[in-house]
Amino acid sequence: ASGQYSGLIEVNGFNTNGVYQKLEGFIRQFMKGSAVGPTPYCDCLFTCNTFRQKMHHASEFWDGYYCGENNFGKYTMRLCDFLVDHLGEWDLIVCNGNAAERAWLFGGMTSLVAREQQMVFRHRPGGRAVFMSTVVQDAPLGRAPFQAPDYWKEGSREGCSPHEVLPATAEELKWMQEL
C-alpha cells in the first residue's frame, strides 16, 4: 500500500528572468503540477502531485513514527538540479528539511505525515559554466591487479585491457526499480 499526498511548492522572491514561468513548465512536465499564483504567504504557489509515501510492509511504527519510504528527497533534488544545472544561473545556498510523522487519528486516518523542505537560491546574473561529466577513456593497468574480481573479463584481470561497464539487462533494471 502507498499514500498519495497533496504537495505544494511555495516560491518567494522576484520573478528574475521569468523563473516562475520556467518553474511552471518544469513542474507541469515532471512533477504533475501547475501554477496557482500569488497568495498572502508566498509570491507564487505551485501544486505538485508526484509525492508518494510507501507504507512499511509490517505496518509498524517506531517510537510512534511511521516507518515508510517516500520520494520527497528525489523531487527536491530534481527541482534543485533544474535551477542550478539546467537554467545555470542559480546557486543553491541553503537546503533545510523538517518532518512531523506521528500515528494520529485524523479524519479516519491513523497516520499523518507532514514534510517540508526549504531551499534558498541566489541568482547569478549571466549564468556560469556548469560541470557536466564526460566520457572517460580508460587505459589498461599494464599489469594484473592485485585482487581482480572473478566477474571481470580475462583481459581486465590480466591488466591488458581496461575494465568494461556493461548496461543492466531489462530484468536487472526491473529488479532495481522494485527496490
Side-chain angles (χ1 to χ4, degrees):
S2 65
Q4 183 172 339
Y5 300 88
S6 297
L8 298 173
I9 299 171
E10 302 171 10
V11 177
N12 286 294
F14 297 113
N15 188 12
T16 305
N17 290 350
V19 70
Y20 292 176
Q21 292 74 26
K22 293 171 185 174
L23 279 170
E24 181 179 11
F26 175 81
I27 291 168
R28 182 178 307 281
Q29 183 176 0
F30 297 105
M31 300 179 80
K32 300 179 184 177
S34 62
V36 175
T39 69
Y41 54 88
C42 70
D43 294 324
C44 192
L45 180 68
F46 297 91
T47 62
C48 172
N49 295 310
T50 56
F51 298 137
R52 301 290 181 266
Q53 178 82 24
K54 188 176 183 181
M55 302 289 193
H56 187 273
H57 67 277
S59 299
E60 295 177 0
F61 292 87
W62 178 75
D63 191 30
Y65 287 89
Y66 184 61
C67 298
E69 299 173 14
N70 66 72
N71 63 359
F72 197 66
K74 176 173 81 171
Y75 281 98
T76 298
M77 289 301 98
R78 284 185 176 177
L79 189 62
C80 178
D81 288 345
F82 173 73
L83 288 166
V84 174
D85 294 337
H86 182 73
L87 296 183
E89 58 184 18
W90 296 90
D91 290 330
L92 177 66
I93 304 300
V94 175
C95 184
N96 185 28
N98 194 12
E101 301 175 341
R102 285 288 181 184
W104 292 317
L105 181 59
F106 179 77
M109 296 186 301
T110 58
S111 182
L112 180 67
V113 178
R115 294 186 183 276
E116 67 178 5
Q117 195 80 349
Q118 179 188 41
M119 296 189 297
V120 178
F121 293 90
R122 173 179 51 213
H123 182 253
R124 182 180 291 222
R128 61 183 168 83
V130 177
F131 167 78
M132 293 299 205
S133 63
T134 58
V135 176
V136 176
Q137 297 297 325
D138 291 331
L141 187 57
R143 61 166 175 77
F146 294 121
Q147 295 178 343
D150 292 337
Y151 57 86
W152 281 15
K153 292 188 174 180
E154 185 177 346
S156 297
R157 285 196 312 266
E158 293 172 353
C160 46
S161 68
H163 70 278
E164 295 181 40
V165 178
L166 301 175
T169 65
E171 182 182 23
E172 290 168 331
L173 180 60
K174 183 180 178 203
W175 175 77
M176 286 186 282
Q177 290 174 337
E178 288 174 359
L179 294 177

